Amino acid sequence: MSREVTVDLGERSYPICIGPGLLKDLGVKCADRSAGSVCLIVSDSNVDPLYGDACEASLSEAGVTAKRVVIPAGESSKSESEIFKLYDEALEVPLDRKSFIVALGGGVVGDIAGYAAASYLRGITLVQVPTSLLAMVDSAVGGKTGINLPQGKNLIGAFHQPALVLVDSDTLATLPRREFVAGMAEVVKYGIIWDAELFALLEANMGKLIEERGGLLDQVIARCCEIKAEVVRQDEREGGLRAILNFGHTLGHALEQVSGYGKFLHGEAIAVGMVFAAELSVRHHGLDAGDAARIRRLLQSCDLPVSVSDYSWEELRSAMTLDKKTVGKALRFVLAGAIGKVDTGCEISDGVLKEVWNVCCQ
């Protein structure tokens, strides 16, 4: 059974189609969205061998001329050198303003292909086809695109909403367990920031979700997309509410940066960041210590890291200075008052940040 969630942005609204076997319908759905007749399919070296042919075939059957370009798998591909290679490929097709780009892959592919679509010819149509759990529930929805600089994550980017997000949950069958579990960190985040019932469902069913990847998972993905869609509807460009989606990300992004964008998957780093944010919430935002312990236990039940010992607080604090939520040099955190309710813009002293890091995350 397929599900559809709408991201309601007026004239720029778009559907998120969720269910098994949907990749074969990609061409028809692109035609329904008037995406165009020429496209560039951007994928990576892991995903293209699995799904590139099916993606191209579906588009071809719908009368779309498609060229495929494959980038190296991994966070290091969100770089200046790779984005200019995509521009070269777009010019070679050539893509015009009525053409579109399909992002076929996980969060890295979605971010860089999305930024190529946002910036090429001042913006062309984007279709997101996420194949990782993290991309399905988070990065493919909401229009954030970007690449990294050596100094920090996603420092170059643009808001560029897709015309369509197509989630074929069958693609999760080939996702390595580590990647799948890393995506579950973002699923847990939605329970913490918005939906206590979702959090409880995850507590009761985490083993089943990870091992079976079946119908219940489609329901969970759809719920996460509903939450993301509502947040984006209310605050498309992160002027206020949307910042709640960054729970755990201030420290998580810093951990990714100091480790060289390779040692930790995004979700692994965010898991550590959420444990850190939960403990800060206990000390300064009224979160019950028992709920912080529930957050830690749920992440541990996914085999996600909840602490690291390889990096000093000084390294991490320096990296956090470049966080996009920083004002001046003062960090702003998303903190929880209860599971299902968080607040943004919370400022904590450096002394307390260091103390909590040393106590709970090392």
Side-chain angles (χ1 to χ4, degrees):
M1 182 182 75
S2 62
R3 296 171 168 83
E4 185 170 304
V5 175
T6 298
V7 181
D8 184 1
L9 294 171
E11 294 181 353
R12 293 178 295 106
S13 298
Y14 56 91
I16 309 167
C17 304
I18 304 158
L22 290 184
L23 191 57
K24 67 181 185 302
D25 301 328
L26 175 62
V28 171
K29 290 186 179 295
C30 286
D32 289 345
R33 301 296 295 168
S34 302
S37 60
V38 179
C39 81
L40 185 69
I41 303 170
V42 180
S43 192
D44 69 23
S45 53
N46 289 338
V47 175
D48 181 75
L50 296 170
Y51 303 112
D53 288 345
C55 180
E56 185 175 355
S58 180
L59 290 163
S60 179
E61 289 172 8
V64 176
T65 300
K67 179 180 180 180
R68 282 152 65 183
V69 57
V70 180
I71 65 174
E75 187 75 24
S76 60
S77 283
K78 282 176 56 174
S79 65
E80 296 168 271
S81 60
E82 289 297 332
I83 191 71
F84 278 97
K85 288 178 185 177
L86 292 187
Y87 295 146
D88 288 341
E89 295 285 356
L91 288 165
E92 188 174 311
V93 173
L95 299 184
D96 60 29
R97 287 182 173 173
K98 294 184 178 180
S99 303
F100 64 105
I101 289 177
V102 174
L104 174 67
V108 168
V109 169
D111 282 355
I112 189 171
Y115 185 58
S119 52
Y120 182 76
L121 299 179
R122 296 193 175 93
I124 62 173
T125 297
L126 170 67
V127 172
Q128 291 275 11
V129 185
T131 60
S132 72
L133 180 59
L134 186 148
M136 290 175 183
V137 301
D138 190 63
S139 60
V141 179
K144 279 189 176 182
T145 71
I147 61 173
N148 302 330
L149 293 177
Q151 297 92 335
K153 190 176 172 78
N154 298 327
L155 293 179
I156 296 177
F159 287 94
H160 188 65
Q161 299 294 344
L164 165 70
V165 180
L166 186 140
V167 175
D168 185 340
S169 54
D170 281 348
T171 61
L172 293 175
T174 55
L175 189 67
R177 189 179 192 280
R178 183 185 175 193
E179 295 273 356
F180 183 87
V181 165
M184 195 58 73
E186 293 284 0
V187 175
V188 171
K189 179 194 76 178
Y190 284 110
I192 298 169
I193 68 170
W194 194 273
D195 189 342
E197 290 185 5
L198 172 62
F199 191 92
L201 184 147
L202 296 173
E203 287 180 304
N205 295 278
M206 185 57 74
K208 180 179 180 180
L209 289 166
I210 292 174
E211 299 307 327
E212 296 184 11
R213 307 187 189 187
L216 180 61
L217 182 60
D218 283 1
Q219 176 186 328
V220 168
I221 292 170
R223 180 57 185 143
C224 292
C225 288
E226 287 172 351
I227 295 169
K228 181 82 178 268
E230 177 59 21
V231 171
V232 171
R233 182 191 69 79
Q234 293 189 43
D235 180 18
E236 182 180 0
R237 292 180 175 265
E238 203 170 294
L241 176 66
R242 186 167 177 169
I244 69 173
L245 297 169
N246 293 315
F247 183 80
H249 283 57
T250 298
L251 178 69
H253 282 171
L255 186 55
E256 288 182 274
Q257 194 263 322
V258 299
S259 62
Y261 298 116
K263 180 174 180 178
F264 296 97
L265 297 177
H266 176 70
E268 294 169 341
I270 297 311
V272 178
M274 288 194 292
V275 169
F276 181 68
E279 185 59 33
L280 288 177
S281 299
V282 170
R283 300 195 182 200
H284 289 278
H285 212 65
L287 180 67
D288 186 270
D291 284 340
R294 289 173 66 197
I295 291 169
R296 179 185 283 264
R297 281 197 303 269
L298 184 55
L299 294 169
Q300 287 175 314
S301 75
C302 305
D303 295 327
L304 284 164
V306 294
S307 61
V308 296
S309 58
D310 297 337
Y311 308 99
S312 70
W313 172 251
E314 287 69 28
E315 289 177 283
L316 291 164
R317 181 61 181 86
S318 178
M320 283 192 282
T321 302
L322 291 172
D323 186 87
K324 296 184 294 299
K325 297 172 289 303
T326 299
V327 178
K329 290 189 177 182
L331 297 176
R332 299 290 191 272
F333 283 85
V334 182
L335 298 182
I339 290 178
K341 184 181 186 304
V342 295
D343 293 297
T344 64
C346 303
E347 189 173 339
I348 307 293
S349 72
D350 276 356
V352 170
L353 295 176
K354 183 176 181 178
E355 178 189 352
V356 169
W357 169 257
N358 289 333
V359 169
C360 80
C361 293
Q362 281 199 308

